[in-house]
Each structure stands twice: as C-alpha cells, then as structure tokens.
C-alpha cells in the first residue's frame, strides 16, 4: 500500500514538474510528496532546464542544492512564478488546505503568498469534502508563554496538543518555534477559523491555507484529477 501511495504521489509530482518552464523562479515545498517534485526538477535541471528555487524548509533546501538547483531569495526574486507543494487536506470545492504536519507551515505560507500560482500535489486520501475531518490544524506558536497561548486556543474550541520530537523533547520548527496540533473536528468555515487563529496572541501562523492554491493535482488509482480555483 505504501508503494502504491508513493507511486501516486510521484505521479502527481511529475505532473506539476511538467508545468515548470525555463527561466522560472519556483517555490520548493516540503514533505514526502514535495520531495518527489524536487527530484523531478533536479532531473530537468540536469537536462538543461534553467530555474531558481526558494525552498520552504532547510531539508528542501539541502535536497535542491545537492541536486544542482540554484537557490535564490525574496531580495532577488520578490515574486515567484510557481510553487509546488503538498498538503495534508484539500477541500474539493474551494481548494482550501490544511498544511503543516511536516512542520514547515510558516515558510510554506510565506512562499505560497508570494507565488503567482500555487500547485498542490497529493494522492487521493488528501482530498476531502470539508477540512478537519482527517487531520488536526497545526498552529505555530512562540515558545515564551506557550501555556497561555495553548489556553487561548482551547477557548476557540481546539483540542491543542504540543507536538513532540522523536527524542521526547518539544518539536522545533526551522524558525525555533513550537507547534500545537489543534483538533476542531469538521470545519464549516475555514476562512473564519483562519482569521480567529491569526488573532490569538502568541500564534505565529496557522496551517489553514485559504485562497492560496490555484491548482490541485490529485493522483488516484483511476487517473489524475485536476482541480482549478
């Protein structure tokens, strides 16, 4: 089953990689599906494609740099032509997303907001009718006073759980922040919840991506589904 899912993730990734054109500035996502896309871009760069990339995490930066993709930054490229990234949930009707289980949601949202097009790649289980049914909403918070931030999020109806690393210590993002995984159940109004989360003192960013994705490429056993907003 894992091999089948990986094959479909790679299929979606390659479909997105095919959208990249010579001379583009490209946002490089984070996570298992995005890693397939970076591999595909590396292959195209070695075949002569000329692009520059802005990575959304240190691990994506390392993968891209080792593969020969030239990295850039927003000082040199304030707008990106295209970003390819994965998602933890994709709402079928609106292309609203939950992202951040990989821990890179802040940088991912910064890159997405600076992109002319955000192409989301995934396999079929990530496609849902409403967000929140299968995954918590990651919320990145500052470490100082995190107990009070946790309490404020609980008052919004969340069940916040501090994410832990494999060694038993609190997980830290590339920016040194903590993540609370917040279960709200099925989310009827993701845009309103995104605004409410953003207004909580101590919150750096949240994993609800509203109005950012332009296209979703979802690989299923019966073929590729393309959804456009």
């Amino acid at each position: 089953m894992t091999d089948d899912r990986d094959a479909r993730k790679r299929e979606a990734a390659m479909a997105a990689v095919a959208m990249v054109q010579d001379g583009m500035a490209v946002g490089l996502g984070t996570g298992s599906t995005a890693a397939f896309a970076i591999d595909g871009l590396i292959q195209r760069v070695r075949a002569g494609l000329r692009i520059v990339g802005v990575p959304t995490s240190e691990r994506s930066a390392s993968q891209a740099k080792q593969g020969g993709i030239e990295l850039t930054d927003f000082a040199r490229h304030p707008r990106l032509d295209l970003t390819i990234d994965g998602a933890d949930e994709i709402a079928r009707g609106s292309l609203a997303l939950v992202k951040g289980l990989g821990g890179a949601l802040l940088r991912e949202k910064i890159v997405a907001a600076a992109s002319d097009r955000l192409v989301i790649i995934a396999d079929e289980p990530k496609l849902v009718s409403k967000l929140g049914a299968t995954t918590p909403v990651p919320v990145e918070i500052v470490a100082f006073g995190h107990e009070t931030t946790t309490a404020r999020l609980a008052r919004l109806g969340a069940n916040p759980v501090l994410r832990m690393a494999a060694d038993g210590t609190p997980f830290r993002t590339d920016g040194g922040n903590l993540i609370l995984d917040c279960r709200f159940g099925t989310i009827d109004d993701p845009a309103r919840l995104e605004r409410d989360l953003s207004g909580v003192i101590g919150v750096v960013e949240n994993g609800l991506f509203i109005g950012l994705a332009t296209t979703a490429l979802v690989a299923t056993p019966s073929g590729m589904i393309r959804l456009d907003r």
Side-chain angles (χ1 to χ4, degrees):
M1 183 65 72
T2 300
D3 289 344
D4 289 343
R5 288 198 65 180
D6 282 348
R8 287 194 281 273
K9 289 178 180 181
R10 186 182 295 276
E11 182 183 359
M14 292 306 101
V17 166
M19 299 171 67
V20 176
Q21 299 176 7
D22 205 55
M24 279 187 169
V26 181
L28 308 174
T30 294
S32 60
T33 312
F36 288 131
I38 295 173
D39 280 341
L41 288 171
I42 289 169
Q43 293 170 17
R44 290 196 62 194
V45 165
R46 289 174 177 170
L49 179 71
R50 294 170 298 172
I51 61 170
V52 293
V54 174
T56 57
S57 66
E58 297 301 325
R59 60 185 178 274
S60 291
S62 177
Q63 179 187 0
K65 188 174 182 180
Q66 289 178 16
I69 296 176
E70 180 185 348
L71 301 185
T72 187
D73 55 35
F74 288 119
R76 289 174 287 177
H77 292 86
R79 290 297 299 177
L80 304 180
D81 298 290
L82 179 73
T83 288
I84 303 173
D85 207 349
D88 302 305
E89 284 186 333
I90 306 166
R92 184 184 292 270
S94 64
L95 297 193
L97 313 171
V98 172
K99 290 177 52 58
L101 291 189
L105 63 117
L106 173 59
R107 295 189 186 187
E108 287 175 334
K109 193 174 278 191
I110 290 171
V111 170
S115 302
D116 291 338
R117 290 186 289 167
L118 173 61
V119 178
I120 296 298
I121 50 177
D123 60 342
E124 191 172 26
K126 304 295 180 65
L127 194 59
V128 297
S129 57
K130 288 188 176 182
L131 299 181
T134 65
T135 186
V137 177
V139 179
E140 187 165 341
I141 66 171
V142 295
F144 178 78
H146 68 87
E147 300 89 350
T148 65
T149 307
T150 301
R152 282 188 283 272
L153 288 168
R155 288 196 288 272
L156 285 181
N159 179 21
V161 176
L162 182 64
R163 187 179 298 184
M164 306 301 288
D167 63 0
T169 61
F171 174 86
R172 295 278 183 161
T173 68
D174 286 343
N177 299 313
L178 305 177
I179 288 185
L180 294 172
D181 291 310
C182 298
R183 289 198 177 274
F184 293 93
T186 300
I187 301 169
D188 291 324
D189 191 344
R192 178 177 178 178
L193 180 58
E194 198 278 336
R195 291 192 298 270
D196 289 345
L197 292 172
S198 295
V200 173
I201 295 171
V203 168
V204 177
E205 192 50 87
N206 68 81
L208 288 169
F209 284 49
I210 310 300
L212 291 173
T214 53
T215 300
L217 299 172
V218 183
T220 77
S222 56
M224 185 75 66
I225 298 174
R226 174 170 175 153
L227 303 171
D228 292 295
R229 181 175 60 83

